[in-house]
Amino acid sequence: MLSETLYSDVTMLDVLISLIIFSVIILIGKIIIMNLKRSLKDKISKDRLNTLSKIIYYSSIFIGFIAILPILRVDLSGFLVAGGIMAIVIGFASQSIVTNLISGIFLTFERPMRVDDVVEIGGPNGTVGVVEDIRIISTSIRTFDGVYVRIPNEKVFTGNISNYLENIARRFEYTVGIRYSDDAEKAVEIINQLIEEEPMALKNPPPQVFVGNLGSSSVDIQVRIWAPSSEWFQVRMKMLWMIKKTLEENGIQVPFTQQEVWFKNELEHAERGDEKRGRLD
Amino acid sequence: MYGSHKKDYQECIENLHLHFKGEEDFLKYYREIGEDIVEKRFLNKNCEIVINPIEPLNLPKDLASTLLIELDEPVMVSPRSKSKIFAKFPIEIGVFVKGDEFRDPFDIFSLVNHKYTTYGDIKTGRICKYWKSDASQKIPTTDRYKEGVIQVNMMNTTRRWIEVTNMVFTGYGMKIYYDENMVSLMAKMIIQTEDQSETKFLNSGMRKGMRKSIETLRPKGTIPMKGEKFIMEGGI
């Protein structure tokens, strides 16, 4: 049965041998990847290791494919003409795939983001989340509400990418309004003290706390704090509540919007008020 | 507190309450600092715990691998000279179970406040644990549960007077030693240019008879480590 000819002089045995050779080459590739992952796990970053693994994996498929062609009596020269025509057809058909592929290659070299970075892709209303994988054709993002989003690399490459973890620190800012009757200097001192006590509020770049505006209802204190990029959001949430709570504990309050109304004729208004009250009685 | 302890051990320092005692079939570890409480049960009744000062880079979060000591007042180092200064560094205390091959602490606490800072610019720099200290030429007195003493042997290889305000050390290969009175670190700082220097820890205690602490910070897979050097490129 194994010597049965399938086409030209290729037998079942040849096909079986080809399958074994292809599988062995793929297996060798996987063993190399496994060992590399084990030995380089702590030495190079996760995304570089992923890229390296993918290169080895696809290379082993290519080598395996080339290796079995002579056994299957496939003469590549015969494909030259047909291949040329096919290439044009496939080229048109797979235009977007090729664009994504090339974008993927450029993304790998330019490295505007890495696996585990927090990014926003596609401008202010784009996709925000953690980069899970940067593949050859697409990039996958895990949004903060747990949704898996696959974005074609062309869109990633041509769109705006904001990487929130690219720099080691990020700044956030509050405007804290206090009453005109409150002591602004004391408020600034309290806020500075809170920043000093918060470990994640960085010492350098230094924080800034100052009266930034004399508003219609409040004296506005501007607070600018730098925090490690990975902790930015937690510190921002925590500090705002701490500032509000501590200011109130010290008798300094955030005022409601106020408006003073002056009557043209106060006496007339008062008389009308008395009349109205009399009718009601 | 530092050293090896068997069951029924108790310690109270300021707001720290720590005890390790046998309860029926297990050993109970309890540690409290303010609202931070850690409780663990060990199923082996013959456990022994080891309490050590460790690299001050674990709390409040494993965020930095370098320690930046800012001097209260900058020191001026004369051209082509060798000198030494003493400064202080913060203490974090690690609690280990004796016999754990990987020697990772199961509890870490500290009696001091923590602060982080950046060294270098925000693009290429790094996040460091921050500590402010005065510099002196004599060994300062410290509370060994809060601060340790670092001796820095400075070598100015340049032909200019160099002003030193910051000293940055990597946590990898930090050789902490302790005895009944103090916790110590020995380091050297080679000033290479006006704004670049190299720092490195030395593997010895400041005094004779000091015991070496367990090193916890290490790249995975490489347990024994020589002192790693750190190149201060972002200014001294």
Side-chain angles (χ1 to χ4, degrees):
Chain A
M1 191 189 161
L2 288 174
S3 56
E4 192 182 322
T5 308
L6 294 173
Y7 63 91
S8 48
D9 55 346
V10 177
T11 61
M12 269 300 276
L13 184 68
D14 292 330
V15 174
L16 200 67
I17 290 169
S18 306
L19 280 174
I20 292 168
I21 291 173
F22 189 74
S23 307
V24 167
I25 291 172
I26 299 286
L27 189 72
I28 291 169
K30 288 204 167 178
I31 291 169
I32 294 170
I33 291 169
M34 211 166 70
N35 281 308
L36 272 179
K37 279 191 174 171
R38 202 176 296 157
S39 57
L40 299 177
K41 195 173 76 184
D42 302 312
K43 289 172 185 149
I44 64 173
S45 65
K46 200 174 154 188
D47 56 328
R48 281 193 180 182
L49 196 58
N50 278 346
T51 313
L52 191 65
S53 305
K54 278 173 200 164
I55 291 170
I56 294 169
Y57 181 68
Y58 290 118
S59 302
S60 62
I61 291 177
F62 180 73
I63 293 167
F65 184 69
I66 296 292
I68 62 169
L69 286 179
I71 303 166
L72 297 173
R73 314 283 189 273
V74 178
D75 186 7
L76 289 176
S77 60
F79 283 102
L80 279 177
V81 179
I85 297 163
M86 281 295 285
I88 295 167
V89 175
I90 292 170
F92 277 111
S94 59
Q95 201 180 2
S96 63
I97 294 176
V98 174
T99 316
N100 283 323
L101 181 86
I102 290 170
S103 299
I105 292 166
F106 278 108
L107 277 176
T108 311
F109 285 111
E110 196 193 340
R111 295 169 68 81
M113 58 189 174
R114 294 172 188 85
V115 172
D116 290 338
D117 278 358
V118 177
V119 294
E120 183 177 273
I121 294 173
N125 295 318
T127 312
V128 185
V130 180
V131 179
E132 283 209 319
D133 200 0
I134 306 165
R135 288 184 290 264
I136 295 177
I137 305 289
S138 64
T139 297
S140 54
I141 305 282
R142 188 182 69 246
T143 62
F144 291 120
D145 48 354
V147 180
Y148 167 88
V149 182
R150 176 193 172 278
I151 309 171
N153 278 342
E154 186 204 356
K155 280 197 173 173
V156 179
F157 189 65
T158 52
N160 292 340
I161 302 172
S162 305
N163 189 338
Y164 295 115
L165 295 183
E166 179 63 17
N167 293 328
I168 55 168
R170 264 184 87 184
R171 197 185 78 178
F172 56 88
E173 189 169 341
Y174 310 124
T175 302
V176 182
I178 59 166
R179 294 176 302 194
Y180 270 89
S181 55
D182 290 328
D183 184 350
E185 272 183 12
K186 189 181 166 192
V188 169
E189 198 184 305
I190 290 168
I191 295 169
N192 271 324
Q193 184 62 31
L194 283 171
I195 296 170
E196 184 61 33
E197 285 166 9
E198 170 54 46
M200 298 294 177
L202 295 173
K203 191 85 184 168
N204 188 40
Q208 290 175 314
V209 184
F210 57 94
V211 175
N213 184 37
L214 299 175
S216 54
S217 310
S218 61
V219 174
D220 296 335
I221 298 172
Q222 217 65 35
V223 183
R224 291 175 183 163
I225 304 169
W226 286 85
S229 297
S230 57
E231 310 301 315
W232 180 86
F233 189 63
Q234 288 87 336
V235 185
R236 186 172 176 269
M237 277 196 306
K238 185 181 169 188
M239 287 303 290
L240 185 60
W241 183 245
M242 289 293 292
I243 289 171
K244 183 205 178 274
K245 220 170 83 175
T246 315
L247 286 178
E248 282 180 355
E249 280 167 7
N250 285 277
I252 298 169
Q253 288 191 352
V254 179
F256 295 109
T257 308
Q258 292 170 20
Q259 205 159 24
E260 272 186 33
V261 181
W262 290 81
F263 292 99
K264 193 178 175 187
N265 188 336
E266 287 218 31
L267 188 62
E268 195 180 313
H269 170 75
E271 279 167 1
R272 266 191 223 152
D274 288 343
E275 272 173 32
K276 203 174 179 183
R277 225 172 287 133
R279 277 204 299 276
L280 283 172
D281 291 340
Chain B
M1 183 163 67
Y2 296 143
S4 186
H5 308 283
K6 287 192 173 175
K7 64 179 177 181
D8 299 328
Y9 171 74
Q10 194 171 328
E11 187 75 61
C12 288
I13 302 165
E14 292 181 8
N15 60 346
L16 165 74
H17 301 281
L18 185 150
H19 63 245
F20 188 65
K21 62 180 180 185
E23 276 183 11
E24 294 171 8
D25 295 333
F26 55 86
L27 283 169
K28 189 180 177 188
Y29 170 83
Y30 177 89
R31 192 267 296 160
E32 180 189 323
I33 297 179
E35 290 172 4
D36 181 22
I37 296 171
V38 174
E39 281 180 278
K40 304 244 185 232
R41 286 176 179 197
F42 293 90
L43 297 178
N44 184 344
K45 274 192 100 171
N46 301 315
C47 274
E48 219 174 298
I49 61 164
V50 178
I51 304 178
N52 262 193
I54 57 168
E55 302 89 341
L57 298 163
N58 302 282
L59 298 174
K61 213 173 170 183
D62 181 11
L63 204 67
S65 60
T66 41
L67 171 70
L68 184 147
I69 299 174
E70 185 188 346
L71 301 178
D72 253 343
E73 288 169 10
V75 292
M76 300 295 292
V77 187
S78 56
R80 296 195 182 282
S81 70
K82 283 182 181 176
S83 53
K84 71 176 175 188
I85 62 161
F86 295 95
K88 295 173 192 171
F89 67 93
I91 292 286
E92 281 180 22
I93 299 164
V95 189
F96 305 78
V97 191
K98 211 166 188 178
D100 181 353
E101 197 184 326
F102 294 99
R103 312 190 106 194
D104 288 325
F106 67 84
D107 184 25
I108 300 172
F109 58 90
S110 177
L111 299 172
V112 294
N113 293 328
H114 309 279
K115 197 78 184 158
Y116 289 100
T117 188
T118 56
Y119 176 68
D121 62 65
I122 61 158
K123 175 82 185 157
T124 56
R126 58 169 65 221
I127 301 282
C128 301
K129 191 76 176 279
Y130 174 84
W131 195 250
K132 193 159 191 166
S133 164
D134 46 351
S136 60
Q137 290 198 298
K138 284 192 293 184
I139 298 177
T141 50
T142 52
D143 176 343
R144 68 183 187 133
Y145 298 124
K146 290 181 176 174
E147 282 184 309
V149 178
I150 180 167
Q151 177 185 322
V152 185
N153 300 330
M154 290 182 166
M155 191 208 261
N156 182 1
T157 60
T158 70
R159 285 183 291 176
R160 305 188 65 160
W161 281 86
I162 300 290
E163 183 180 299
V164 178
T165 313
N166 295 316
M167 299 185 290
V168 185
F169 303 96
T170 174
Y172 296 111
M174 201 181 255
K175 316 289 181 194
I176 300 177
Y177 282 78
Y178 66 93
D179 64 12
E180 303 307 314
N181 302 309
M182 68 184 270
V183 175
S184 81
L185 262 175
M186 297 269 286
K188 66 175 178 181
M189 182 177 188
I190 302 166
I191 300 165
Q192 294 162 337
T193 64
E194 245 176 285
D195 47 19
Q196 184 177 307
S197 69
E198 179 189 306
T199 60
K200 190 181 177 179
F201 288 111
L202 306 172
N203 192 7
S204 64
M206 213 174 279
R207 291 196 288 234
K208 271 188 181 172
M210 289 187 107
R211 295 175 65 185
K212 191 173 181 298
S213 283
I214 297 168
E215 281 177 52
T216 62
L217 206 65
R218 55 185 179 259
K220 281 169 196 160
T222 53
I223 294 166
M225 261 197 86
K226 286 181 180 175
E228 287 276 298
K229 62 181 179 185
F230 181 81
I231 306 288
M232 292 174 62
E233 291 172 307
I236 304 172

